[in-house]
Amino acid sequence: MYDELIAPPRVLLGPGPSEANARVLKAMTTPMLGYLDTEFVHIMDDTVALLRRVFGTQNRLTLPVSGTGTAGMEAALANIIEPGDAVVVGINGYFGERIAEIARRCGGTVTTLHADWGTPLPAEKMAEAIAKTAPKLVALVHAETSTGILQPLEDIIQIAHEHDALFLADCVTSLGGQPVDLDARGIDIAYSCTQKCLAAPPGLSPISFSERAVAAIRHRKTPIQSFYLDMTLLENYWHGSARRYHHTVSMSLIYALREALRVVLEEGTYARYKRHENNARALLAGAKAIGLEPAAAEGYRAPMLTTLRIPEGIDDATIRKRLIEDYGIEIGAGLGIFAGKAWRIGLMGESSNERNVMLVLTALEKLLIAFGHAVEPGSAVHAAAQVYADR
Ligand SMILES: Cc1ncc(COP(=O)(O)O)c(C=O)c1O
């Protein structure tokens, strides 16, 4: 016999999943409906309408793909890229690498452009590669979860469009925590996830294609290699009057996403972005006060994910283990070249609140002192409190 499932209480301050909103978890207990039940179709329509608002788009081809953020990445690339198509991918972290890898697997001729981890991609460098290769697609990550960089997009989008390329932004970490504004910015293809700033469980990847991107899909000469992620088939299930079965979607996850999006719009997107910014500011002030320096360049820091350099003589794994064992707090390990060198503290969605900021700072300060790091006791919380007081 196995015991009843009991998950230990955790404060989720890693790179995702974040804490799911209570209303979202409740919505998931709603009974199943048939995948073409009229009532379920209404729920799907609501979800798409809400998604368009949070994405900031009127794009018709907007829907949640079944699968996590990587499914959205695959869907975006597999539908747009045909073998031999030129693609430019900007890489300044782990997830940019993943975009390039999938683009190659789709048969794209991929030119990669690198910037140091912890810095944004310079528009001039991207411009050179775009002018040289005349790509069909230019792709990069909006909020790089491996480094905590929030990439400025406007100039690169303009350059891509001047060269008739489509522009793709990975909004897995940014959606719901910072403006993505697809239409205002001219982003042609964007995908995200549910488990970060939308505060729902993982399992769906919201995705959106502009009319130009849809035209590129319609004018393909070769079939879309993936059946499961074929947007022309998914469109027939999600949109229009004659809904056609494609695959059995997860009702529970769609209920969850619908509720999560309602919560986002009730709070107000602007208020939500501000909340993420304020809590990140307080966290960083507290972290600096105990000698934890940010790994992402100033002026480009993503408020939902703060990377902090691990001080000399402090063991990464030991501290993270103690945070879990003593406080039930999960923070993220460094990825790629940041492994063992930086921590990633996520303040995403529900997890982005003052209580969590104070808690993680208190815990980190106490552990750093315990492991011999010279820190003035109380300085982390004091610095963070100052930020909240000045707000
Ligand atoms: C920027 C970015 N892109 C893509 C992904 C992949 O998403 P998932 O792990 O949900 O498949 C992640 C995951 O953290 C991410 O942070």
Side-chain angles (χ1 to χ4, degrees), residues 8-276:
R10 291 280 188 260
V11 180
L12 294 176
L13 302 182
S18 61
E19 292 162 20
N21 178 280
R23 273 168 50 187
V24 170
L25 293 176
K26 183 162 164 256
M28 291 185 78
T29 63
T30 307
M32 295 307 107
L33 287 169
Y35 53 75
L36 282 176
D37 187 308
T38 319
E39 290 307 314
F40 186 62
V41 170
H42 287 322
I43 291 168
M44 292 165 68
D45 289 347
D46 290 349
T47 309
V48 167
L50 289 160
L51 254 186
R52 287 194 182 112
R53 287 181 59 187
V54 176
F55 262 136
T57 187
Q58 311 245 354
N59 289 343
R60 182 180 136 81
L61 188 51
T62 301
L63 53 85
V65 164
S66 295
T68 62
T70 308
M73 196 188 278
E74 295 252 22
L77 298 168
N79 280 269
I80 297 293
I81 302 173
E82 293 193 68
D85 281 344
V87 180
V88 169
V89 183
I91 301 177
N92 54 350
Y94 183 90
F95 292 102
E97 294 279 5
R98 182 173 293 189
I99 294 178
E101 168 65 18
I102 296 176
R104 279 186 216 104
R105 288 177 187 226
C106 293
T109 304
V110 179
T111 303
T112 55
L113 247 137
H114 294 259
D116 288 343
W117 283 43
T119 68
L121 289 150
E124 316 79 64
K125 261 178 105 178
M126 293 290 289
E128 270 173 42
I130 294 168
K132 212 155 128 199
T133 62
K136 179 181 192 178
L137 180 69
V138 174
L140 45 77
V141 178
H142 187 205
E144 209 359 301
T145 330
S146 58
T147 63
I149 283 289
L150 188 69
Q151 173 68 39
L153 299 175
E154 279 73 7
D155 290 352
I156 301 175
I157 294 174
Q158 194 189 333
I159 297 159
H161 286 171
E162 279 166 11
H163 290 81
D164 222 17
L166 294 166
F167 181 82
L168 175 153
D170 173 317
C171 299
V172 166
T173 289
S174 51
L175 187 70
Q178 279 293 281
V180 296
D181 296 338
L182 303 192
D183 290 357
R185 283 178 161 150
I187 297 171
D188 294 292
I189 305 135
Y191 54 84
S192 186
C193 74
T194 41
Q195 75 271 18
K196 298 187 199 260
C197 295
L198 295 183
L204 293 177
S205 177
I207 196 165
S208 188
F209 293 81
S210 70
E211 286 311 313
R212 282 182 70 223
V214 171
I217 298 174
R218 301 228 194 284
H219 293 133
R220 285 178 68 103
K221 295 183 197 72
T222 55
I224 296 158
Q225 181 275 331
S226 169
F227 179 88
Y228 197 67
L229 300 173
D230 182 331
M231 292 307 301
T232 64
L233 302 177
L234 287 170
E235 186 181 20
N236 289 337
Y237 173 55
W238 277 89
H239 297 306
S241 45
R243 308 281 174 133
R244 249 169 275 150
Y245 162 75
H246 175 259
H247 69 277
T248 310
V249 292
S250 165
M251 283 82 215
S252 314
L253 288 173
I254 290 166
Y255 300 152
L257 176 58
R258 181 181 180 280
E259 193 58 21
L261 294 167
R262 271 170 27 88
V263 172
V264 170
L265 293 174
E266 268 175 36
E267 179 177 5
T269 48
Y270 180 77
R272 196 173 176 91
Y273 305 149
K274 278 281 157 231
R275 170 164 64 82
H276 281 82

